[in-house]
Amino acid sequence: MSRNVDPHIPANILFQWHITDRCNLRCNHCYQESHSSADPSWTDLLAILDQFKSFILHYRNMNGQERFKAHITVTGGEPFVRADFAALLEKFAEARHLFSFAILTNGTMLTEADVKRLKSLKPGFVQVSIDGTKETHDRIRGYGSYDQAVRGLTLLARAKIRAHISFTATRRNYHEFSHVARIGQRLGVTRVWSDRMVPCHPVLLRDDDLLSSEETREYISSMHSEQQRTWLRRSPVKLLRALQFMPTGSRPYRCTAGDTLVAVLPNGDVLPCRRLPIIAGNIFENSLDSLYQTSEVFLRLRNRETLSKGCEQCYYARTCGGGARCIANAVYGSPFRADPGCWIAAGASNAEPRSISTLNERT
């Protein structure tokens, strides 16, 4: 911990809340270390929710009632495995004056009854993962999961609930983004977005699934092409993640971890982002506001004067912040290195680090 004299006042806040580690699937690229950890009790859930509310009220008072926006995305594991999930969503709906909320799910457990209930609770959106063609998706997430996920998206669309599709890009499936985008267009989802797989565990590194810099460029260019193909019909394809601004010429995306993004795990551990697993503390031991203001990792991530190593000469160094810090951390052991998928950073050096070169060797 370090002392912070002048409190940082976020412009808005997004809490990503993992209410369980349990899941009905075992996806190849999952960042979960365990699928059997004990769930937090109902009392613990309410205690965490109260901390969210206190945090929001505190910064709303500092920022002004209208200017400070707060949002909670609730996920797992798979949130629908919890029998009390609907009751928790009821609590969210009761606090709608403080924050909006959304659900991240694999979509396989959605029933008509669930969707009817969601319709009345009015989440901002429900996000479902689709990782390629039926064959590819089932290979990654388990046999039959593709049809179940598409059925879940279909139920959401029929109920006119805003649905998003999330696509996780790996070396084995990145060329299938266009297929997923067209599924989204056919189903009428409001957003199709994608990010690259983060090799959080050594086994993922050995699997050689991390995109090289040139493959990253090709993958993002395909997203841009798909977006342009349907722009007259309000394309659902959104390029909103690290490095994705470069083909479009839009304003650079900068990682918000530790600033306007905070993740909370089922056991109460607080992280700047779930994919950046650096623990700042525990919400049951210190208040969320205290961790937010004094955690060394949060403070450093928010410091815009710190340039990522390898980005010093880049035009986008301060606005981009180094790309995907979670991927840099997974590969190099530090979030303050240039994104290994950045083709500008790769071109600025004679050779990529050994860990990346190893990953990029085709088998």
Side-chain angles (χ1 to χ4, degrees):
M1 291 284 185
S2 118
R3 300 187 66 182
N4 189 20
V5 177
D6 297 317
H8 175 72
I9 304 176
N12 51 71
I13 197 71
L14 164 61
F15 295 118
Q16 187 174 76
W17 188 9
H18 297 256
I19 62 171
T20 182
D21 284 332
R22 292 186 294 132
C23 186
N24 61 316
L25 300 182
R26 297 292 183 271
C27 305
N28 295 342
H29 52 50
C30 184
Y31 45 60
Q32 291 292 116
E33 295 179 3
S34 169
H35 295 89
S36 58
S37 301
D39 285 345
S41 68
W42 177 250
T43 300
D44 286 344
L45 288 181
L46 294 184
I48 294 173
L49 182 57
D50 282 344
Q51 287 222 37
F52 289 156
K53 292 177 181 178
S54 295
F55 187 103
I56 293 166
L57 285 170
H58 176 65
Y59 290 102
R60 177 175 284 191
N61 289 335
M62 296 181 76
N63 270 332
Q65 294 290 320
E66 298 301 321
R67 288 180 296 183
F68 186 74
K69 304 297 182 183
H71 180 82
I72 297 175
T73 54
V74 60
T75 184
E78 170 52 50
F80 282 96
V81 302
R82 286 196 62 134
D84 56 6
F85 184 43
L88 182 63
L89 294 181
E90 293 281 356
K91 294 292 184 182
F92 284 10
E94 291 171 7
R96 193 180 300 280
H97 61 291
L98 292 177
F99 58 83
S100 57
F101 70 94
I103 301 163
L104 311 185
T105 173
N106 60 42
T108 62
M109 298 183 69
L110 280 171
T111 66
E112 291 185 7
D114 291 327
V115 171
K116 183 177 180 180
R117 189 178 298 114
L118 289 175
K119 180 72 173 178
S120 66
L121 296 173
K122 299 179 180 179
F125 62 88
V126 178
Q127 176 180 294
V128 175
S129 298
I130 299 287
D131 286 329
T133 63
K134 179 176 179 176
E135 179 183 7
T136 298
H137 182 96
D138 281 359
R139 184 173 64 248
I140 293 171
R141 294 180 176 266
Y143 179 76
S145 60
Y146 178 90
D147 287 340
Q148 292 171 328
V150 170
R151 179 178 182 275
L153 284 164
T154 301
L155 290 173
L156 293 168
R158 287 176 183 169
K160 293 183 168 46
I161 297 172
R162 289 171 61 89
H164 293 181
I165 287 179
S166 171
F167 173 86
T168 300
T170 73
R171 169 165 286 177
R172 302 169 195 267
N173 75 341
Y174 76 93
H175 53 281
E176 295 182 18
F177 176 81
S178 294
H179 173 83
V180 174
R182 295 176 195 217
I183 292 173
Q185 185 180 6
R186 175 171 58 83
L187 294 177
V189 304
T190 53
R191 175 176 294 180
V192 179
W193 74 280
S194 173
D195 214 342
R196 289 164 286 153
M197 182 271 291
V198 180
C200 294
H201 305 303
V203 66
L204 294 179
L205 286 168
R206 290 195 301 270
D207 280 347
D208 196 19
D209 264 349
L210 185 64
L211 298 180
S212 70
S213 56
E214 282 306 310
E215 287 166 337
T216 300
R217 187 175 192 172
E218 180 185 347
Y219 142 71
I220 294 176
S221 295
S222 73
M223 292 182 66
H224 187 215
S225 296
E226 198 60 37
Q227 184 184 61
Q228 291 182 309
R229 185 184 68 83
T230 55
W231 73 271
L232 285 175
R233 289 166 284 174
R234 299 185 65 182
S235 173
V237 176
K238 307 298 180 187
L239 280 71
L240 301 170
R241 306 300 287 170
L243 307 183
Q244 293 178 6
F245 67 90
M246 288 200 281
T248 67
S250 58
R251 186 169 66 178
Y253 172 88
R254 184 184 178 92
C255 175
T256 61
D259 185 1
T260 57
L261 170 63
V262 177
V264 178
L265 303 189
N267 68 353
D269 283 346
V270 176
L271 314 175
C273 170
R274 181 61 185 89
R275 304 192 307 164
L276 186 56
I278 304 173
I279 299 174
N282 190 282
I283 205 169
F284 295 119
E285 298 171 2
N286 297 97
S287 72
L288 181 58
D289 182 47
S290 173
L291 294 172
Y292 181 78
Q293 290 295 348
T294 63
S295 163
E296 198 67 53
V297 63
F298 277 46
L299 294 175
R300 194 172 178 200
L301 286 169
R302 292 198 293 258
N303 185 355
R304 288 180 173 257
E305 297 305 310
T306 301
L307 298 182
S308 294
K309 185 177 181 181
C311 300
E312 295 87 350
Q313 304 304 315
C314 181
Y315 176 80
Y316 300 112
R318 294 189 183 279
T319 51
C320 167
R325 284 175 158 168
C326 51
I327 298 180
N329 184 71
V331 172
Y332 302 114
S334 169
F336 304 105
R337 294 280 299 271
D339 184 333
C342 179
W343 52 94
I344 294 179
S349 61
N350 293 326
E352 297 185 39
R354 178 181 297 179
S355 56
I356 298 300
S357 297
T358 301
L359 288 172
N360 290 345
E361 291 173 2
R362 292 186 180 274
T363 56

